[in-house]
Amino acid sequence: PTVSASGTYAKAIEPVKTRTWTGSIGLNQVIFNVDILGNLVQAKLYNDFYQEKARDETNHLIYDIKAGYFNLIKFYNLYTIAQSSLERAIESFNLMQEKFRLGQISKVDLLRSEAFKTQAQIDLLIAEKNLKIANEDFKGQLGIEKDILIRPITQLTEPAVFEYQDFEALWDDVLGNNPSLSLTRKTEMIAKVGEIQAIGKILPEVSYSVSNIYKDSILPRSLNNWRNKDVTTYGLSFNFPIFELKSLFHNIYDTRLEARKAMVQSKKSELALRKNVMSAFLSFEEARERYNYASKNLQLNQELYQLAREQFRLGALSILDLFDVELKFAQAQTGYISSIADTYTSKALLDYLLGK
């Protein structure tokens, strides 16, 4: 309610000298107003909107940290693999130098061994660069400015496990829990409330009022004096926006257009989200399947490498064949590590899309 109070004093000199004291106390309460009701509903929707937005931003931060951490683990392991490859290349080159000194191999084989070692050094530099980039990215997500190298303590020995095997079941849960989609739905609801509010403004505003007025030639000395000379009035007012119809209809048209745009944006967001969920789901499935093949491939290449080293030592395998086996062994290690890390990164993205 709106409370009002006023007091006046008037003095007339001619033709008769008179004094008039007037006092009034009033209260006005709006009973029905479309703007007030609409604003209350929109305030509730906006409150839900920003709470959902905060949840979405928090979840996105968690996803970024997860992805950055798994990425750092992957590049640490790839750097270790590159170091091992260089150590094997140096060992092979030292062996080839000794064989060349004894006249057991040609100059060409020695140069091939040295070229293989040089390439391993280049691969190590690239792995070191990628590790530093991943470290800087993770530091940025944590808000660390110091020049430090973060060393992960987690060992990813097994691929991630995801509880959903069927995409449609996953999609149903995403529809009900994804914060980003919830934001577009809230926006659509706010726009619809705005349209209803604009239409409702055609209805009159209804107010109830009560006022108590005192008027006399003397100033009231007590509450009883006031009561003896006061008049109380009650009123119910209806305010019709007759001369505002043009602006009302313009506002209805604009809000209806905004509601339609919000509906289209909500549908567009849902379609884009389904595409992202499908892509993340397929990426996880592909990474899991790739892990199965990479695990078997690594085991085979490890056995092949050990056998090739023994045959080369006995002179039954050429230097080119040995280099080819060593290269494929390093590639198998890289594929194995990458496939495991990719399952965790894909699962982190799926968790984020699920609103977790």
Side-chain angles (χ1 to χ4, degrees):
T2 302
V3 180
S4 61
S6 66
T8 60
Y9 166 73
K11 180 180 179 181
I13 299 177
E14 293 181 354
V16 181
K17 186 176 181 180
T18 60
R19 299 169 183 266
T20 304
W21 297 88
T22 304
S24 67
I25 299 174
L27 183 145
N28 185 76
Q29 173 64 57
V30 176
I31 299 175
F32 176 78
N33 182 287
V34 173
D35 276 339
I36 293 176
L37 295 176
N39 290 343
L40 281 172
V41 175
Q42 285 192 335
K44 175 64 169 65
L45 291 173
Y46 272 116
N47 179 65
D48 295 343
F49 175 88
Y50 284 110
Q51 284 186 342
E52 201 68 20
K53 186 176 178 64
R55 186 167 77 94
D56 181 51
E57 291 183 356
T58 302
N59 289 353
H60 200 283
L61 174 63
I62 294 171
Y63 162 68
D64 286 341
I65 292 173
K66 281 184 178 180
Y69 186 62
F70 296 140
N71 201 44
L72 187 62
I73 294 173
K74 179 175 76 172
F75 283 111
Y76 249 113
N77 289 327
L78 294 182
Y79 177 73
T80 303
I81 291 171
Q83 283 182 316
S84 300
S85 297
L86 178 58
E87 290 173 1
R88 291 195 298 269
I90 293 174
E91 183 182 346
S92 296
F93 177 66
N94 293 336
L95 179 61
M96 296 303 288
Q97 277 186 317
E98 183 63 20
K99 285 191 173 186
F100 179 74
R101 188 182 66 82
L102 298 174
Q104 296 177 358
I105 62 169
S106 65
K107 180 71 172 179
V108 173
D109 288 336
L110 179 63
L111 291 176
R112 284 172 177 167
S113 178
E114 187 173 4
F116 187 76
K117 183 192 73 170
T118 303
Q119 184 59 50
Q121 290 172 327
I122 294 173
D123 293 341
L124 180 61
L125 287 174
I126 294 174
E128 184 179 5
K129 179 202 70 174
N130 292 335
L131 174 59
K132 289 180 178 179
I133 292 174
N135 182 71
E136 287 300 317
D137 180 59
F138 191 54
K139 278 170 52 184
Q141 291 163 1
L142 298 180
I144 296 175
E145 298 180 359
K146 295 180 180 179
D147 187 16
I148 60 174
L149 187 63
I150 301 173
R151 183 177 296 277
I153 61 173
T154 307
Q155 295 296 325
L156 303 181
T157 57
E158 294 291 334
V161 178
F162 191 54
E163 57 269 29
Y164 292 89
Q165 303 297 324
D166 178 64
F167 175 76
E168 291 304 325
L170 168 64
W171 175 241
D172 289 341
D173 283 350
V174 170
L175 282 177
N177 299 298
N178 182 266
S180 179
L181 187 60
S182 179
L183 289 176
T184 60
R185 288 172 178 166
K186 294 291 183 187
T187 304
E188 183 181 1
M189 290 175 65
I190 290 170
K192 286 181 179 179
V193 170
E195 181 185 2
I196 295 172
Q197 185 176 349
I199 296 173
K201 285 183 179 180
I202 297 175
L203 300 173
E205 178 184 312
V206 183
S207 300
Y208 172 79
S209 61
V210 57
S211 63
N212 185 270
I213 301 175
Y214 168 89
K215 188 174 183 180
D216 196 29
S217 59
I218 61 174
L219 185 68
R221 302 296 182 181
S222 65
L223 187 60
N224 287 330
N225 292 143
W226 178 288
R227 285 175 179 173
N228 292 332
K229 298 292 184 178
D230 71 334
V231 177
T232 302
T233 59
Y234 302 90
L236 192 65
S237 63
F238 295 83
N239 181 19
F240 291 89
I242 298 175
F243 297 104
E244 300 176 9
L245 291 179
K246 181 179 178 180
S247 61
L248 284 176
F249 284 120
H250 273 293
N251 194 34
I252 291 171
Y253 176 81
D254 290 340
T255 54
R256 180 168 296 174
L257 182 62
E258 289 299 319
R260 290 179 179 177
K261 287 166 63 178
M263 181 181 65
V264 172
Q265 184 61 42
S266 179
K267 187 62 179 177
K268 181 180 177 182
S269 298
E270 183 178 325
L271 293 172
L273 178 63
R274 183 179 176 89
K275 174 187 173 184
N276 292 337
V277 173
M278 175 64 79
S279 176
F281 183 73
L282 292 176
S283 295
F284 178 80
E285 292 289 309
E286 184 264 342
R288 282 279 306 184
E289 196 66 23
R290 184 154 42 90
Y291 164 78
N292 294 332
Y293 290 114
S295 179
K296 185 176 181 180
N297 186 48
L298 177 60
Q299 183 180 357
L300 291 173
N301 276 276
Q302 197 165 12
E303 294 177 3
L304 181 60
Y305 172 71
Q306 293 172 354
L307 183 61
R309 291 285 296 181
E310 182 63 22
Q311 288 184 345
F312 177 75
R313 189 182 65 81
L314 298 174
L317 191 71
S318 68
I319 185 65
L320 286 178
D321 291 335
L322 177 62
F323 289 161
D324 183 64
V325 170
E326 288 186 346
L327 180 62
K328 288 181 178 177
F329 178 48
Q331 290 174 345
Q333 289 177 307
T334 300
Y336 175 76
I337 292 300
S338 297
S339 64
I340 294 180
D342 289 346
T343 63
Y344 282 91
T345 304
S346 298
K347 183 182 182 299
L349 177 57
L350 288 167
D351 286 340
Y352 165 69
L353 294 173
L354 278 165
K356 295 184 178 180

